[in-house]
Amino acid sequence: MSKKEQIIKESIQLFSDYGYEATSMTKIAEQVDIKKPSLYAHFKNKDAIFYSAVKQVTGEYVDFVLTTIDQTKNQSSKNTLYNVLHHAYTNEYQTEFLGEFFYRFVLFTPNEVEAQIKPLIKKSEEQLEAALIKIVEKGQANQEIDPTLSNRVVLKNYLFIFYNLDVDVRYYSLKGSELEQYLNDIWSVFWRGVKN
């Protein structure tokens, strides 16, 4: 791992633990075990580090979802959509490392860096939506999903669950069998509404 990669990795953890404001260049330099002036050899300021952190997290998040889709591409649309949702909320790396940062900063971007970060978030959302709409369309073509429903409406409802479930999972500290039951309850109502 290069020093630049290490700085990004450690800063993701620091931003997640302490927030944007409380994470200083000094704190990042200490965490990476370099002197503060050396940090400026890699990044011009904290905003640049934060931008790189968000770029990495959104990229990894998209890769994570696309990998799950790819692993289930020969299954029914129902199974693929469920597995993406399930894997996103039960995979430890996603929930503990990527999830915390994503929740804290992608959903609630600090005002100071919002203009820089929003295009990264939009790009990741477009990539996810493009992959997921294909699954919905496949489900409609195979008569799994009600073809009278707009594929965009089905996708919007799915994404509402996908993005907003994070709030409940974190607020209620859902884990294990309790989380499984919660996911299954929400999924069963969603699927009942869109199935053919």
Side-chain angles (χ1 to χ4, degrees), residues 3-40:
K3 187 56 75 175
K4 189 169 187 174
E5 289 170 333
Q6 186 185 0
I7 292 167
I8 295 169
K9 181 177 184 284
E10 296 297 339
S11 70
I12 290 169
Q13 192 64 60
L14 288 170
F15 286 128
S16 296
D17 290 345
Y18 299 104
Y20 178 80
E21 290 296 332
T23 301
S24 64
M25 293 291 274
T26 301
K27 197 173 277 189
I28 294 169
E30 287 170 359
Q31 186 71 23
V32 181
D33 197 27
I34 60 174
K35 298 204 179 300
K36 188 176 170 183
S38 299
L39 197 54
Y40 289 100

Side-chain angles (χ1 to χ4, degrees), residues 77-129:
S77 293
K78 176 185 179 182
N79 285 348
T80 301
L81 290 171
Y82 176 78
N83 284 330
V84 168
L85 186 67
H86 185 269
H87 202 193
Y89 285 96
T90 58
N91 179 279
E92 190 174 325
Y93 175 71
Q94 194 281 329
T95 54
E96 298 303 322
F97 187 68
L98 292 182
E100 180 62 30
F101 186 91
F102 196 88
Y103 178 74
R104 189 166 189 168
F105 296 112
V106 176
L107 298 180
F108 305 101
T109 308
N111 291 334
E112 302 91 325
V113 291
E114 188 172 7
Q116 292 176 294
I117 300 308
K118 287 291 183 184
L120 288 176
I121 298 167
K122 187 171 192 275
K123 181 182 174 187
S124 70
E125 287 174 347
E126 287 169 352
Q127 289 174 296
L128 289 178
E129 288 177 21

Side-chain angles (χ1 to χ4, degrees), residues 42-106:
H42 299 284
F43 295 96
K44 68 178 183 176
N45 55 31
K46 182 170 79 169
D47 289 358
I49 296 174
F50 188 75
Y51 178 87
S52 294
V54 171
K55 187 174 183 181
Q56 180 170 314
V57 168
T58 55
E60 287 185 27
Y61 195 81
V62 169
D63 289 346
F64 174 85
V65 173
L66 294 181
T67 298
T68 304
I69 290 171
D70 191 55
Q71 289 169 348
T72 59
K73 66 183 173 190
N74 296 323
Q75 296 181 19
S76 66
S77 293
K78 176 185 179 182
N79 285 348
T80 301
L81 290 171
Y82 176 78
N83 284 330
V84 168
L85 186 67
H86 185 269
H87 202 193
Y89 285 96
T90 58
N91 179 279
E92 190 174 325
Y93 175 71
Q94 194 281 329
T95 54
E96 298 303 322
F97 187 68
L98 292 182
E100 180 62 30
F101 186 91
F102 196 88
Y103 178 74
R104 189 166 189 168
F105 296 112
V106 176

Side-chain angles (χ1 to χ4, degrees), residues 68-195:
T68 304
I69 290 171
D70 191 55
Q71 289 169 348
T72 59
K73 66 183 173 190
N74 296 323
Q75 296 181 19
S76 66
S77 293
K78 176 185 179 182
N79 285 348
T80 301
L81 290 171
Y82 176 78
N83 284 330
V84 168
L85 186 67
H86 185 269
H87 202 193
Y89 285 96
T90 58
N91 179 279
E92 190 174 325
Y93 175 71
Q94 194 281 329
T95 54
E96 298 303 322
F97 187 68
L98 292 182
E100 180 62 30
F101 186 91
F102 196 88
Y103 178 74
R104 189 166 189 168
F105 296 112
V106 176
L107 298 180
F108 305 101
T109 308
N111 291 334
E112 302 91 325
V113 291
E114 188 172 7
Q116 292 176 294
I117 300 308
K118 287 291 183 184
L120 288 176
I121 298 167
K122 187 171 192 275
K123 181 182 174 187
S124 70
E125 287 174 347
E126 287 169 352
Q127 289 174 296
L128 289 178
E129 288 177 21
L132 291 166
I133 197 83
K134 288 179 185 174
I135 300 165
V136 172
E137 289 168 348
K138 175 186 164 189
Q140 289 177 316
N142 293 340
Q143 300 295 310
E144 284 181 82
I145 296 173
D146 185 347
T148 65
L149 294 173
S150 158
N151 56 16
R152 288 278 163 204
V153 168
V154 175
L155 179 64
K156 279 182 187 176
N157 281 275
Y158 179 80
L159 289 173
F160 182 82
I161 295 168
F162 185 81
Y163 289 130
N164 293 293
L165 199 56
D166 201 46
V167 176
D168 283 357
V169 169
R170 290 177 188 285
Y171 185 79
Y172 296 111
S173 301
L174 299 173
K175 290 184 174 149
S177 61
E178 193 177 20
L179 174 58
E180 291 285 346
Q181 186 62 55
Y182 198 80
L183 285 170
N184 288 330
D185 288 347
I186 288 172
W187 173 258
S188 65
V189 173
F190 166 78
W191 189 252
R192 189 184 308 161
V194 303
K195 72 177 181 177

